[in-house]
Amino acid sequence: MVLGSMEKDLDSAPVKSISRAATLLRILAGIGSEGGTLGEIAKASGFGKATAHRILAALNDEGFTYQDMATRRYHLGAGISLLARRAAVNEIGALAQPVLLRLAGQTEDTVYIQVREGLRSVCLGREQGTFPIKTLSLDVGQSRPLGVGSGSLAILANLPPAEIDAVIEANTRWLADYPAFNADRLRGLVRQTQARGYAFVEGLMIPGINAVAVPISGADGRPIASLSVTAIAERIHGDRALWLAGLLREEARQLSAVLLRPHSRNT
């Protein structure tokens, strides 16, 4: 290829789009955990707001960024962490790994960690226990509307009431893909979760599969993630469901405490 044609290729629209997307990802990485507004990101990149917004929307669709509904600030998404094999890009995913292993050993069932990203939850990790009947209801990297499934429901139910309503309203079309979690049913599940103090989903995702989940809180007390256990219905009900909720709650408390330590954000 001659130099002139190479330069032409480098100036092509797809290559420019990739370069601009990479620029925005680097800016978000530099901003840190507080995220950035559209105006701040556009200014730092030198792009117009319309261009920055278009690129961020595409990155959001791919799971590489997300926008916090409450603050309207953009953050790096779990997709970046997954591409990097969760190697410290997303702190909670790395810190949770021993927790998942410990819980899978104690319960013998399948344990998950999910994080909130705007209107959705994303699975960052999964560990299988030794019980012979496996319940793999969620893949690592898979996303769902916030509130769909036990872990996602645990996060949604612990948000402020106005934010819960806003999330459900904004996700109305997406919830249509999950008939068992339509808007009215989801509001009822939120109330039940708040009354119990943990999320308990009975056969709504997969018939015969139950799940228990609790939220993991961030520095401001808001839920940022969740821990959950799934198993066949015979293994999650009654006293055992309460025992599982207690195990998850204690692990979530300890994980929250680790996240709040200054050194954990700098290692």
Side-chain angles (χ1 to χ4, degrees), residues 1-263:
M1 179 182 292
V2 297
L3 181 59
S5 59
M6 182 182 294
E7 290 175 345
K8 183 177 180 180
D9 284 346
L10 290 174
D11 286 338
S12 67
V15 173
K16 278 187 175 180
S17 295
I18 293 170
S19 176
R20 288 173 173 175
T23 296
L24 297 193
L25 290 173
R26 292 191 188 99
I27 289 169
L28 283 172
I31 289 174
S33 61
E34 69 272 18
T37 66
L38 175 61
E40 291 168 347
I41 296 168
K43 182 178 180 180
S45 67
F47 306 152
K49 281 189 176 182
T51 298
H53 183 268
R54 185 179 70 253
I55 296 169
L56 287 167
L59 290 170
N60 182 74
D61 287 344
E62 297 298 329
F64 296 145
T65 65
Y66 70 97
Q67 186 179 32
D68 187 291
M69 283 189 63
T71 65
R72 311 306 297 172
R73 302 180 77 86
Y74 288 89
H75 303 261
L76 289 178
I80 293 295
S81 176
L82 293 168
L83 286 178
R85 302 177 66 85
R86 301 197 304 273
V89 179
N90 193 309
E91 184 179 35
I92 193 169
L95 291 173
Q97 192 57 36
V99 174
L100 298 183
L101 289 168
R102 186 161 55 246
L103 284 169
Q106 290 175 298
T107 66
E108 300 183 337
D109 295 315
T110 306
V111 186
Y112 300 87
I113 182 166
Q114 297 179 62
V115 294
R116 182 195 178 182
E117 293 191 346
L119 296 173
R120 66 190 174 199
S121 62
V122 181
C123 178
L124 274 190
R126 179 182 75 185
E127 286 296 333
Q128 300 178 46
T130 57
F131 191 73
I133 302 177
K134 307 301 181 185
T135 53
L136 307 180
S137 58
L138 189 62
D139 294 326
V140 174
Q142 185 177 349
S143 64
R144 289 175 176 164
L146 201 61
V148 172
S150 64
S152 192
L153 176 60
I155 297 172
L156 178 66
N158 284 274
L159 294 173
E163 192 169 352
I164 292 173
D165 290 338
V167 167
I168 294 175
E169 180 66 25
N171 274 340
T172 298
R173 293 181 62 183
W174 195 2
L175 290 172
D177 295 335
Y178 301 87
F181 290 86
N182 63 63
D184 289 339
R185 169 69 70 83
L186 191 49
R187 290 187 178 94
L189 290 170
V190 164
R191 290 191 293 269
Q192 291 175 11
T193 300
Q194 292 169 339
R196 287 192 180 105
Y198 61 92
F200 182 35
V201 172
E202 298 181 89
L204 293 180
M205 290 302 305
I206 302 174
I209 302 299
N210 291 357
V212 171
V214 302
I216 300 168
S217 299
D220 57 1
R222 289 168 55 85
I224 58 173
S226 67
L227 289 172
S228 60
V229 175
T230 66
I232 57 174
E234 289 81 358
R235 289 182 60 78
I236 302 185
H237 67 94
D239 290 342
R240 192 168 193 271
L242 290 172
W243 174 72
L244 290 170
L247 278 182
L248 292 171
R249 191 177 292 116
E250 178 58 23
E251 292 287 0
R253 184 191 66 79
Q254 293 186 34
L255 189 50
S256 292
V258 171
L259 289 169
L260 294 178
R261 293 176 193 165
H263 77 268

